[in-house]
Amino acid sequence: MRIPTFSILLLLACVTAVSACASPYSATSPDDRAAIARNGFSADDVGYVLFDPDSGAVLAERQPAKPFAPASVAKLPAMAAALAVLGPDHRFETTLHITGRLGDGVLDGDLILKGGGDPSLSSEGLTELLRDLGALGVTRVTGRFLYDTSALPEMAEIDAGQPWTAGYNTGVGALSLNFNRFRFDWARPAAGQPVRVSAWSVSDTGRVPLDSVTVQLGAGAGAAFTPLIAMDGEPANGEPGGERWRFAPQPGMAASLWLPVTRPGLAAAHVFRRLAVEAGIALPAPAPGAVPPTATLAALHRSEPLEVLARQVLRYSNNLSAELIGLAAARRLDPAVQTLPESAAVLTAPAMLAAPRTDWTGLRLLNHSGLSAASRITPAQTMALIQGAGPAVLALLPGEDEGKVLPPGVRAKSGTLAYAKALAGTLKTAGGRTLGFAFFVTDEAQRAAMDRTMDRRIAEIPPEARAWLARARKLQADLLELWIAGL
């Protein structure tokens, strides 16, 4: 897949400028009122645009200029922009570097593990690096073992409005491993016996103890996990900045849970050290550092091409992967980018140049994954971004929504938050036409009420929010059926 660089630079140019002319839509729509009422929604909660992707002609619409929460639909413009900026053949690199002198299996110098923002880096990738290091004859390092995360800013979480224990709200950094989540296991062998706990970094081929995480046992009701800050500056596990959790077992809770890694660079370095022992290479405890100019490249691991990674993001909707890819693209355009909102602004900035008649008022994307209740986009703006993405990117869209098959001929990116549902992509009508669409439904009042009372220790979505989402999915299905059959 080849995407013209000029078209992406147009696609990316300008949340800050605002077009003076709103799109003059005059569309006739299949009657959607019955579907909206049947599923228990107010017409004010729903917005969509159905359009011809080639001509831009709008065939049906409802509230096209109203901002809605995009949820993971935000991943579609992020992947389109990244493919154009970095190129579909771009590969992320993770490297090993050495300093000093190597002799008789001993490296009398430093070993540095440098992250390049690979969103797919796994324990298997680290094992490949160690295999190459072993081929050089290294069995022991007498200097330091450093990990370098300077390629990207490191953040403890994607969105501060999410539960602490949400495995989808992980830390972000240049050295990210196994999707920056860990499995927590616990067991009480017999009555009166102490609880046993363990933390594991898990990949497709196995698990490795995660030494950067420590767990303090406690008691209490209502929440099993609470993140702790080291008291009086005491380091966790001997390493400054390690992750500490308070665990209070709750009746009936599962014996294994997924939790987010908040210090990804440190966690990856600890896993690397464990794997090094298995490979017969002794390393000192990891410490943060940087690759010096005099270092020698010892090993290199490359990801699959970005086109493959983008397809996976659009299908599986991994938030970390979207953020890492988006950050890499934004920093290619502006190396000064340090936050996710800055990064999202850089990648969406030139959109008006590609669609000068689109009114960009109200566009607010706070990251690349859509994991934010505060991000906003209108159906008309989404339409412009879909057109700007082009057929090559739209071909990467899956034919499913959260693992469930969409109607035949529908390829789209879905988005889901509590009290927000979205879907955007293309469909084939019964008459054989290919059309683009962007659908949103959001209950602003209920989402705001939930956010006001959120307990960040609790990850479960309230039952009433799950019921709302079930109705939203049914409305989505009903509108797709209406559009496919009626046009």
Side-chain angles (χ1 to χ4, degrees):
M1 180 179 68
R2 290 291 185 273
I3 303 172
T5 300
F6 179 70
S7 68
I8 188 58
L9 292 177
L10 291 181
L11 173 64
L12 296 175
C14 81
V15 172
T16 52
V18 175
S19 172
C21 50
S23 299
Y25 296 140
S26 63
T28 58
S29 168
D31 191 351
D32 59 6
R33 290 172 296 180
I36 293 172
R38 181 171 61 248
N39 289 288
F41 290 100
S42 163
D44 290 339
D45 293 337
V46 181
Y48 63 78
V49 173
L50 182 69
F51 62 96
D52 185 312
D54 296 322
S55 68
V58 175
L59 307 176
E61 63 179 8
R62 177 174 289 279
Q63 301 194 104
K66 179 177 178 176
F68 291 86
S72 286
V73 164
K75 293 182 174 75
L76 174 53
M79 292 305 99
L83 283 163
V85 172
L86 300 174
D89 297 324
H90 176 81
R91 295 173 185 258
F92 295 89
E93 296 182 348
T94 307
T95 52
L96 274 182
H97 306 260
I98 58 175
T99 67
R101 186 176 61 86
L102 174 62
D104 298 325
V106 177
L107 175 62
D108 188 14
D110 296 338
L111 177 69
I112 308 102
L113 173 65
K114 182 176 175 61
D118 183 356
S120 61
L121 183 64
S122 65
S123 298
E124 290 73 38
L126 298 186
T127 299
E128 291 179 15
L129 291 172
L130 285 163
R131 187 181 305 123
D132 291 344
L133 185 65
L136 295 177
V138 177
T139 59
R140 183 164 63 92
V141 174
T142 62
R144 299 170 298 172
F145 169 42
L146 304 176
Y147 61 96
D148 184 343
T149 63
S150 60
L152 295 175
E154 185 163 287
M155 308 159 201
E157 59 185 350
I158 295 170
D159 179 54
Q162 304 299 320
W164 283 314
T165 57
Y168 52 79
N169 187 34
T170 68
V172 178
L175 188 56
S176 292
L177 181 72
N178 296 334
F179 299 108
N180 285 353
R181 63 177 192 165
F182 70 94
R183 198 183 77 190
F184 175 80
D185 294 346
W186 73 285
R188 183 182 284 118
Q193 296 297 311
V195 174
R196 294 200 304 264
V197 299
S198 55
W200 306 88
S201 184
V202 181
S203 66
D204 288 342
T205 59
R207 63 181 191 175
V208 179
L210 189 53
D211 299 321
S212 62
V213 171
T214 57
V215 178
Q216 172 185 314
L217 291 174
F225 291 96
T226 305
L228 298 176
I229 299 174
M231 295 176 291
D232 301 322
E234 177 189 356
N237 244 22
E239 292 297 321
E243 300 178 48
R244 296 165 62 95
W245 292 82
R246 177 182 177 274
F247 172 56
Q250 304 296 308
M253 69 175 292
S256 293
L257 303 103
W258 291 103
L259 294 172
V261 168
T262 62
R263 289 295 310 276
L266 179 63
H270 272 291
V271 172
F272 184 88
R273 188 187 186 208
R274 282 273 188 171
L275 293 172
V277 171
E278 296 179 8
I281 303 173
L283 299 179
V291 177
T294 56
T296 300
L297 178 66
L300 166 69
H301 172 77
R302 305 180 76 203
S303 73
E304 291 188 282
L306 178 56
E307 180 181 354
V308 174
L309 301 179
R311 184 188 295 274
Q312 292 170 350
V313 168
L314 294 173
R315 180 179 182 187
Y316 299 109
S317 209
N318 183 269
N319 293 327
L320 172 65
S321 296
E323 303 298 356
L324 289 174
I325 292 170
L327 272 170
R331 283 171 67 90
R332 174 72 64 85
L333 297 173
D334 182 359
V337 163
Q338 290 295 320
T339 69
L340 293 177
E342 290 174 358
S343 185
V346 166
L347 279 202
T348 53
M352 283 181 168
L353 296 181
R357 298 183 64 196
T358 300
D359 183 357
W360 295 94
T361 305
L363 177 63
R364 185 173 186 242
L365 299 180
L366 297 183
N367 52 43
H368 305 290
S369 66
L371 186 62
S372 170
S375 289
R376 292 292 182 271
I377 194 169
T378 71
Q381 291 163 358
T382 308
M383 167 184 158
L385 292 172
I386 289 173
Q387 288 184 285
V393 175
L394 297 179
L396 302 178
L397 289 170
E400 59 187 55
D401 174 4
E402 300 176 24
K404 297 180 179 179
V405 177
L406 289 165
V410 178
R411 301 181 67 89
K413 181 71 197 81
S414 65
T416 305
L417 292 171
Y419 299 113
K421 184 72 180 77
L423 190 73
T426 62
L427 60 82
K428 284 190 179 296
T429 71
R433 298 180 67 184
T434 296
L435 302 178
F437 71 92
F439 160 79
F440 301 90
V441 55
T442 303
D443 191 316
E444 298 278 3
Q446 292 200 72
R447 178 69 207 201
M450 190 188 86
D451 289 340
R452 284 194 300 269
T453 60
M454 176 180 287
D455 183 344
R456 295 198 72 193
R457 299 173 301 169
I458 308 299
E460 291 77 15
I461 296 177
E464 54 271 24
R466 289 198 297 271
W468 186 96
L469 284 170
R471 290 191 290 112
R473 293 185 184 98
K474 182 62 169 61
L475 173 60
Q476 173 184 290
D478 288 352
L479 290 179
L480 285 174
E481 182 180 4
L482 191 66
W483 297 336
I484 291 169
L487 292 165

